[in-house]
């Protein structure tokens, strides 16, 4: 579909092929008439039994016919850049070989330049068109920001050896890495660098680092590190003169950069989640599930490039087909009420058990933190160690429990576990970023290292997967998880900004609350100002919750309506397909009233079987 | 890259960029891969026609159960021998940026073994047999059952075979297709 011009779809072209042999079905031209705007046509009426083994003039004739059909569309034949884009899109989707397409393109350009000599377009119009095309192109480039070059070779290799399932994990890791890299670069250049300049310029008020470096400082981050740019506390509340006559107010910079980066991450993640959800759930639901057809037609992983992986994939498909077949041979016992009740109970019990364990773990962490964190050194490590032990031990326990439920835990490279680890990593990043502008850089470096470790691990210690990995659905699930994490963290930070008073060190030490940086420092709003009162009222949790709930209901209704529309559309399609096949088989005799078909069709109204007429007699 | 670029004129590269879902860089990259299959021949003529046996040396085609069908479908002479332009066409359709409708069209041609523009029971049987591999085997009854299930799900007009419209209908609603 057109990506450049207002997302308008373009007509699909139905091409008639010269066919020496007899008894082939005739073709129907589904070009949508000569409306000035291209409209969507019911696609799918294609015949593509082309042959070019014939002599050269056959090839040329064919190209001429295609050009003739395309010339019927006024929108395509103008000499504007927009028209050019439409032509390119139409040619790309033409079901012909590349050589034919080049031929058609040449002929089209010739015919267009002939026409444009007769009525040229004015200079300003042309300029306007070119500008709009450039704008659309930059928007497109921005949307499809090409970081695909990074680690491309490795990814292709992994795809070839192990399939798209493992590759999806690495793609996710790469995406997060790029995002974190950008965030850390911005944070470093806009917050840390000015601070370093300020420190090294030795202006009055800067404190030399009074502490000495000790080895154990690396583990706790205490001592020496407390007075470096690692922590928020070291950042100044003054105005820095970076360049003569250009002042840099640190609190404003710190606040705005962090808040903007959080909001940007929020926005980007939100958009990605929505797109992912739409692609994998909304567009594919609404009616029957095509389990068998999907497995057979969409089952093969076209990225596989090794014998071993191919054999495993074949086996996987074989076993899954057998499983599906055996499920359809289910016995009475399997479908009985008792069995259903039993499975439900077991599931409920296990879920409650897991919830209890999680709550217990959370409570244990909280009490450990309370007990140990504000004393001296060393004891802080207790919480860290405890958390790490929990993270290592509990997944094993949960795996064991799920095995008892009859589900198979992931074998070989455990994609779920490793993806959740990355998400946890990312959560740490977001929690800590507000208080440590260098943390992004550290986490980015860590992710870089993780990439190579995991890659080595997969290559040397893992086998290709035995089961098919449903990439689209699980990708959506992980995106949602990471988005929800970000929302919770941003909410937590929002609370901090609003209600917690900053400590005596750090860049906000002169303010009672951090948000006052904006209100007092920038907008000069005092606490009892009217505007501020209104803002407070609107941003109270209750008001926001009301608005969001209302929005949520509206969106739900919209989604339901869109889904219904998809179902109706597919039913319409079904009906039209049936009518169409009936006509092609010659069942419907002499359809003269074109109630169901586009009036510009030429329908053969013969009675016996198939037509060999060339429909091109238009 | 520099050597590759000198083989193609600017106009040709622009054409390829306009008519496929690739950028100029990707086109040159594809040509490198094409050259690997038969360095001598492609060195002489950048658009040389390679026989199907050479084409099937390309790793992804080699292990693909439908490798020979793919070659036949994209070959401009319909016999499996591909020029570079056919190869480029093939890569372009399989790339991530190609829309589902384009992929669906070519998939239909690939699966249509007997070339009658319908996916009948015999076509489906061959597709399944190729998918599950040489070493695995489904007996007659299971195969019959499977084909029946597929037709039940997908055959909307109950004529015992899938037309392109019905095939496209299934593909539209699948989220993991030909990535």
């Amino acid at each position: 579909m057109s990506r450049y011009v207002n997302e308008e779809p373009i007509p699909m072209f139905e091409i008639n092929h010269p066919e020496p042999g007899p008894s082939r079905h005739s073709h129907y031209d589904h070009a949508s008439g000569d409306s000035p705007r291209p409209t969507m046509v019911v696609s799918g009426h294609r015949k593509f039994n082309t042959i070019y083994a014939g002599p050269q003039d056959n090839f040329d004739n064919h190209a001429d016919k295609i050009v003739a059909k395309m010339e019927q569309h006024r929108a395509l034949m103008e000499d504007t850049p927009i028209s050019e884009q439409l032509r390119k899109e139409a040619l790309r989707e033409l079901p012909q070989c590349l050589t034919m397409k080049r031929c058609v393109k040449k002929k089209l350009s010739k015919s267009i330049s002939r026409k444009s000599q007769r009525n040229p377009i004015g200079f300003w119009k042309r300029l306007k068109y070119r500008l709009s095309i450039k704008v659309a192109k930059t928007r497109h480039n921005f949307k499809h920001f090409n970081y695909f070059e990074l680690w491309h070779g490795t990814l292709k290799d992994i795809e070839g050896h192990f399939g798209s399932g493992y590759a999806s994990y690495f793609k996710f890791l790469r995406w997060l890495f790029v995002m974190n890299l950008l965030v850390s670069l911005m944070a470093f250049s806009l917050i840390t660098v000015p601070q370093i300049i300020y420190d090294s310029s030795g202006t009055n008020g800067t404190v030399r680092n009074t502490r000495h470096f000790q080895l154990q400082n690396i583990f706790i981050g205490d001592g020496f590190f407390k007075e470096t740019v690692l922590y928020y506390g070291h950042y100044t509340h003054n105005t820095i003169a970076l360049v003569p006559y250009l002042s840099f107010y640190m609190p404003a910079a710190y606040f705005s950069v962090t808040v903007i980066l959080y909001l940007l991450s929020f926005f980007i993640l939100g958009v990605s989640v929505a797109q992912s959800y739409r692609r994998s759930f909304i567009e594919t639901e609404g009616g029957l599930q095509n389990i068998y057809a999907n497995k057979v037609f969409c089952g093969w992983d076209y990225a596989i490039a090794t014998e071993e992986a191919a054999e495993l994939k074949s086996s996987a498909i074989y076993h899954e087909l057998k499983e599906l077949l055996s499920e359809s041979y289910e016995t009475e016992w399997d479908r009985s009420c008792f069995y259903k009740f039993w499975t439900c109970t077991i599931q409920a019990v296990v879920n409650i058990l897991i919830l209890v364990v999680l709550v217990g773990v959370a409570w244990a962490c909280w009490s450990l933190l309370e007990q140990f964190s504000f004393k001296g050194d060393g004891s802080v490590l207790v919480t860290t160690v405890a958390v790490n032990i929990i993270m290592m031990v509990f997944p094993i326990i949960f795996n064991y429990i799920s095995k008892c439920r009859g589900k198979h835990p992931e074998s070989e490279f455990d994609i779920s576990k490793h993806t959740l680890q990355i998400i946890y990593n990312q959560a740490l990043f977001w929690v800590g970023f507000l208080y440590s502008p260098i943390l992004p850089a550290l986490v980015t470096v860590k992710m870089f290292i993780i990439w190579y470790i995991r890659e080595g691990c997969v290559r040397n210690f893992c086998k290709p997967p035995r089961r098919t990995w449903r990439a689209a659905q699980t990708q959506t699930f992980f995106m949602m998880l990471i988005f929800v994490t970000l929302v919770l963290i941003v909410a937590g930070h929002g609370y901090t900004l609003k209600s917690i008073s900053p400590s005596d060190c750090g860049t906000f030490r002169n303010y009672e609350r951090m948000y006052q940086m904006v209100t007092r420092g920038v907008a000069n709003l005092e606490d009892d100002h009217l505007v501020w009162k209104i803002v407070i009222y609107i941003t109270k949790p209750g008001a926001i919750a009301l608005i969001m709930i209302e929005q949520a209901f509206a969106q739900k209704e919209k989604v339901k309506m869109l889904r219904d529309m998809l179902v109706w559309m597919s039913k319409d399609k079904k009906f039209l397909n049936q009518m169409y096949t009936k006509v092609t088989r010659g069942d419907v005799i002499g359809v003269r009233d074109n109630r169901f078909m586009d009036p510009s069709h030429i329908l053969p109204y013969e009675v016996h079987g198939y037509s060999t007429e060339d429909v091109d007699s238009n | 890259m520099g050597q590759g670029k000198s083989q193609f004129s600017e106009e040709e590269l622009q054409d390829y960029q306009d008519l496929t879902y690739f950028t100029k860089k990707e086109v040159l990259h594809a040509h490198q891969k094409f050259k690997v299959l038969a360095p001598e021949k492609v060195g002489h003529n950048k658009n040389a026609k390679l026989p199907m046996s050479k084409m099937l040396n390309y790793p992804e085609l080699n292990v693909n159960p439908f490798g020979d069908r793919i070659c036949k479908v994209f070959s401009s002479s319909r016999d499996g021998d591909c020029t570079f332009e056919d190869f480029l066409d093939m890569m372009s359709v399989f790339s991530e940026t190609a829309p589902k409708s384009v992929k669906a069209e070519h998939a239909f041609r690939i699966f249509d073994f007997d070339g009658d523009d319908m996916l009948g029971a015999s076509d489906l049987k061959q597709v399944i047999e190729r998918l599950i591999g040489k070493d695995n085997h489904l007996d007659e009854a299971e195969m019959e059952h499977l084909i029946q299930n597929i037709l039940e799900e997908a055959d909307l007009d109950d004529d015992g075979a899938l037309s392109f419209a019905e095939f496209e209908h299934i593909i539209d609603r699948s989220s993991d297709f030909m990535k």
Side-chain angles (χ1 to χ4, degrees):
Chain A
M1 312 304 165
S2 165
R3 284 186 295 256
Y4 287 98
V5 191
N6 298 331
E7 304 301 320
E8 274 173 354
I10 4 174
M12 306 291 193
F13 287 96
E14 164 68 46
I15 303 303
N16 191 6
H17 304 306
E19 172 62 64
S23 70
R24 297 300 291 220
H25 303 195
S26 55
H27 311 281
Y28 297 99
D29 182 1
H30 284 264
S32 61
D34 57 351
S35 48
R37 304 221 114 188
T39 50
M40 175 76 99
V41 171
V42 175
S43 65
H45 305 287
R46 285 163 157 51
K47 308 286 183 183
F48 10 77
N49 47 334
T50 56
I51 35 85
Y52 297 116
Q56 181 59 28
D57 57 6
N58 232 357
F59 184 93
D60 222 45
N61 278 350
H62 197 73
D64 284 329
K65 283 180 189 160
I66 300 178
V67 172
K69 286 243 163 50
M70 289 180 86
E71 278 175 345
Q72 290 171 13
H73 290 257
R74 258 192 272 143
L76 287 177
M77 298 310 289
E78 292 168 23
D79 192 15
T80 61
I82 296 181
S83 206
E84 204 178 299
Q85 292 299 338
L86 283 175
R87 276 197 300 275
K88 281 189 198 164
E89 291 292 334
L91 280 172
R92 270 197 200 128
E93 294 183 6
L94 206 57
Q96 300 292 323
C97 69
L98 203 53
T99 331
M100 171 63 80
K101 287 199 220 186
R102 290 184 71 196
C103 194
V104 169
K105 183 171 183 243
K106 246 189 238 141
K107 289 184 194 271
L108 266 182
S109 324
K110 262 193 233 147
S111 121
I112 285 170
S113 54
R114 254 187 294 126
K115 288 206 179 121
S116 75
Q117 275 164 10
R118 289 182 240 146
N119 32 343
I121 300 190
F123 175 72
W124 294 115
K125 229 183 181 181
R126 193 185 292 274
L127 196 66
K128 190 180 73 169
Y129 283 138
R130 288 216 188 275
L131 215 66
S132 66
I133 289 288
K134 276 211 168 53
V135 163
K137 251 194 182 153
T138 20
R139 211 166 10 127
H140 178 255
N141 282 338
F142 188 72
K143 254 198 281 179
H144 299 123
F145 171 49
N146 200 7
Y147 60 88
F148 294 136
E149 303 255 344
L150 182 64
W151 291 318
H152 179 80
T154 314
L155 214 56
K156 266 274 169 285
D157 209 22
I158 292 181
E159 261 182 344
H161 279 90
F162 300 103
S164 305
Y166 292 5
S168 70
Y169 163 82
F170 284 97
K171 281 187 186 152
F172 190 56
L173 179 56
R174 180 178 64 175
W175 184 71
L176 279 178
F177 172 77
V178 169
M179 213 171 68
N180 289 347
L181 186 66
L182 292 173
V183 167
S184 60
L185 278 175
M186 292 201 58
F188 188 78
S189 54
L190 293 173
I191 305 180
T192 314
V193 166
Q195 179 66 32
I196 294 176
I197 294 177
Y198 183 70
D199 284 344
S200 58
S201 68
T203 41
N204 42 346
T206 45
V207 181
R208 280 294 155 91
N209 201 336
T210 51
R211 318 217 188 175
H212 297 291
F213 180 73
Q214 290 166 316
L215 194 61
Q216 63 247 38
N217 291 146
I218 293 187
F219 293 103
I220 308 177
D222 208 349
F224 173 77
F225 286 113
K226 259 196 172 160
E227 294 186 9
T228 58
V229 286
L230 184 59
Y231 289 119
Y232 149 85
H234 178 70
Y235 287 80
T236 178
H237 59 287
N238 295 325
T239 314
I240 310 172
L242 282 177
V243 180
Y245 308 119
L246 199 68
S247 62
F248 186 88
Y249 187 45
M250 181 54 96
Y254 196 102
F255 187 88
S256 45
V257 169
T258 45
V259 166
I260 289 177
L261 285 175
Y262 272 113
L263 289 179
L264 226 85
S265 310
F266 184 86
F267 179 69
I268 292 176
L269 265 184
V271 166
S272 304
V273 165
Q275 280 176 347
S276 196
Y277 180 70
R278 190 184 85 184
R279 222 179 305 132
S280 60
F281 283 106
I282 297 189
E283 276 175 1
T284 62
E285 224 176 289
L288 287 164
Q289 287 276 341
N290 300 324
I291 319 173
Y292 291 96
N294 258 334
K295 191 65 78 181
V296 168
F297 293 129
C298 313
W300 185 256
D301 185 351
Y302 287 85
I304 294 180
T306 58
E307 285 264 355
E308 189 198 354
E311 269 172 36
L312 274 162
K313 188 70 187 169
S314 296
S315 296
I317 295 181
Y318 173 67
H319 287 115
E320 284 158 24
L321 282 175
K322 273 220 128 145
E323 209 176 288
L324 280 175
L325 282 172
S326 68
E327 267 174 25
S328 65
Y329 293 143
E330 270 177 340
T331 61
E332 261 305 301
W333 155 252
D334 287 347
R335 288 198 181 276
S336 75
C337 283
F338 178 67
Y339 181 74
K340 278 196 211 156
F341 174 72
W342 181 241
T343 37
C344 280
T345 332
I346 295 259
Q347 270 191 341
V349 163
V350 169
N351 284 339
I352 293 176
L353 193 68
I354 294 184
L355 256 172
V356 164
V357 166
L358 282 175
V359 167
V361 162
W363 175 81
C365 285
W366 178 255
S367 50
L368 269 177
L369 260 178
E370 292 223 294
Q371 203 176 0
F372 284 113
S373 57
F374 298 121
K375 288 197 187 150
D377 36 30
S379 52
V380 178
L381 272 182
V382 173
T383 329
T384 325
V385 169
V387 168
N388 276 312
I389 291 180
I390 291 172
M391 279 179 43
M392 274 198 297
V393 163
F394 276 83
I396 303 177
I397 299 180
F398 288 153
N399 246 352
Y400 181 70
I401 294 180
S402 70
K403 233 200 262 189
C404 289
R405 274 170 63 182
K407 291 219 163 152
H408 302 286
E410 289 296 323
S411 51
E412 289 99 19
F413 182 71
D414 194 344
I415 300 180
S416 305
K417 186 172 95 171
H418 291 123
T419 312
L420 287 173
Q421 274 180 356
I422 310 179
I423 296 181
Y424 171 69
N425 204 32
Q426 195 63 26
L428 290 178
F429 171 107
W430 280 322
V431 166
F433 175 42
L434 188 62
Y435 305 104
S436 168
I438 290 220
L439 190 68
L442 293 173
V443 173
T444 310
V445 168
K446 182 181 172 188
M447 288 188 110
F448 188 77
I449 298 175
I450 285 182
W451 172 279
Y452 287 102
I453 293 178
R454 292 276 175 248
E455 183 199 329
C457 185
V458 165
R459 274 193 215 271
N460 297 317
F461 304 122
C462 293
K463 294 184 292 182
R466 270 181 285 132
R467 297 184 72 90
T468 310
W469 177 258
R470 304 198 64 199
Q473 260 85 349
T474 41
Q475 200 73 357
T476 310
F477 170 70
F478 287 132
M479 294 288 294
M480 278 194 173
L481 197 59
I482 209 174
F483 181 65
V484 165
T485 319
L486 180 59
V487 166
L488 290 173
I489 292 173
V490 165
H493 283 327
Y495 174 74
T496 314
L497 287 183
K498 182 168 192 292
S499 313
I500 309 278
S501 52
S503 19
D504 289 332
C505 52
T507 189
F508 297 120
R509 64 191 89 160
N510 288 337
Y511 298 102
E512 272 166 35
R513 298 276 187 274
M514 291 205 225
Y515 66 80
Q516 290 172 347
M517 206 301 309
V518 178
T519 57
R520 260 195 235 150
V522 177
N524 278 330
L525 284 172
E526 290 298 330
D527 273 343
D528 50 359
H529 201 269
L530 181 62
V531 172
W532 188 237
K533 281 213 170 84
I534 295 179
V535 170
I536 293 277
Y537 188 75
I538 295 178
T539 55
K540 273 211 179 345
I544 300 219
L546 265 176
I547 296 177
M548 299 210 78
I549 289 176
E550 191 264 342
Q551 278 287 332
F553 274 126
Q555 291 294 347
K556 223 163 108 181
E557 283 297 316
K558 197 169 167 193
V559 167
K560 184 169 180 307
M561 194 175 69
L562 286 171
R563 243 193 219 144
D564 286 340
M565 271 176 73
L566 279 174
V567 174
W568 294 328
M569 261 176 65
S570 72
K571 288 205 173 119
D572 278 348
K573 248 190 182 179
K574 249 196 209 177
F575 176 68
L576 286 174
N577 287 342
Q578 287 174 355
M579 287 304 301
Y580 171 66
T581 349
K582 284 208 178 92
V583 174
T584 44
R585 280 196 304 220
D587 290 353
V588 181
I589 301 173
V591 177
R592 277 187 192 263
D593 74 302
N594 297 321
R595 230 181 298 148
F596 303 117
M597 309 287 185
D598 192 315
S600 73
H601 285 183
I602 311 287
L603 293 173
Y605 34 90
E606 79 288 333
V607 178
H608 317 285
Y610 311 113
S611 155
T612 54
E613 275 181 278
D614 193 356
V615 184
D616 201 13
S617 52
N618 187 353
Chain B
M1 275 303 166
Q3 194 199 13
K5 204 163 186 168
S6 64
Q7 285 202 299
F8 287 105
S9 72
E10 188 56 40
E11 192 202 335
E12 283 173 333
L13 278 179
Q14 184 63 43
D15 263 355
Y16 291 145
Q17 187 177 275
D18 290 340
L19 295 174
T20 64
Y21 296 98
F22 282 148
T23 61
K24 286 182 189 152
K25 221 183 192 179
E26 289 167 334
V27 169
L28 291 169
H29 190 63
H31 189 75
Q32 296 293 341
K33 289 202 172 157
F34 186 65
K35 202 163 180 186
V36 167
L37 297 172
E40 283 286 313
K41 226 174 165 188
V42 179
H44 284 302
N45 169 18
K46 62 181 187 281
N47 203 17
K49 185 177 255 209
L50 299 184
M52 185 151 76
S53 48
K54 284 248 156 66
M55 287 305 298
L56 287 177
N57 283 336
Y58 187 70
E60 272 96 340
L61 282 178
N62 196 353
V63 302
N64 194 311
F66 304 107
D68 59 330
R69 287 293 307 162
I70 296 176
C71 286
K72 286 219 176 80
V73 162
F74 283 97
S75 146
S76 35
S77 46
R78 301 292 143 199
D79 57 358
D81 300 341
C82 294
T83 64
F84 169 63
E85 291 184 348
D86 299 330
F87 180 74
L88 191 61
D89 204 13
M90 189 195 303
M91 294 291 114
S92 163
V93 166
F94 277 99
S95 76
E96 285 194 359
T97 34
K100 244 191 205 173
S101 54
V102 171
K103 291 186 198 248
E105 269 193 62
H106 289 91
F108 188 75
R109 286 147 104 176
I110 292 171
F111 293 144
D112 186 12
F113 280 82
D114 50 15
D116 62 352
D117 293 321
M118 301 285 278
L119 298 181
S122 65
D123 291 325
L124 290 176
K125 184 154 187 238
Q126 290 195 47
V127 169
I128 297 171
E129 274 174 357
R130 287 212 187 191
L131 264 181
I132 61 180
K134 302 184 289 291
D135 305 324
N136 300 316
H137 183 65
L138 282 173
D139 57 31
E140 273 302 313
E142 288 176 324
M143 183 67 84
E144 205 36 59
H145 191 74
L146 185 53
I147 296 179
Q148 275 313 309
N149 284 335
I150 295 177
L151 288 175
E152 222 174 87
E153 282 176 351
D155 188 13
L156 305 172
D157 55 7
D158 285 329
D159 59 353
L162 300 181
S163 66
F164 177 72
E166 293 159 341
F167 179 76
E168 206 195 7
H169 188 63
I170 302 174
I171 300 304
D172 257 348
R173 291 144 106 236
S174 140
S175 45
D176 314 281
F177 178 61
M178 265 214 200
K179 286 288 167 175

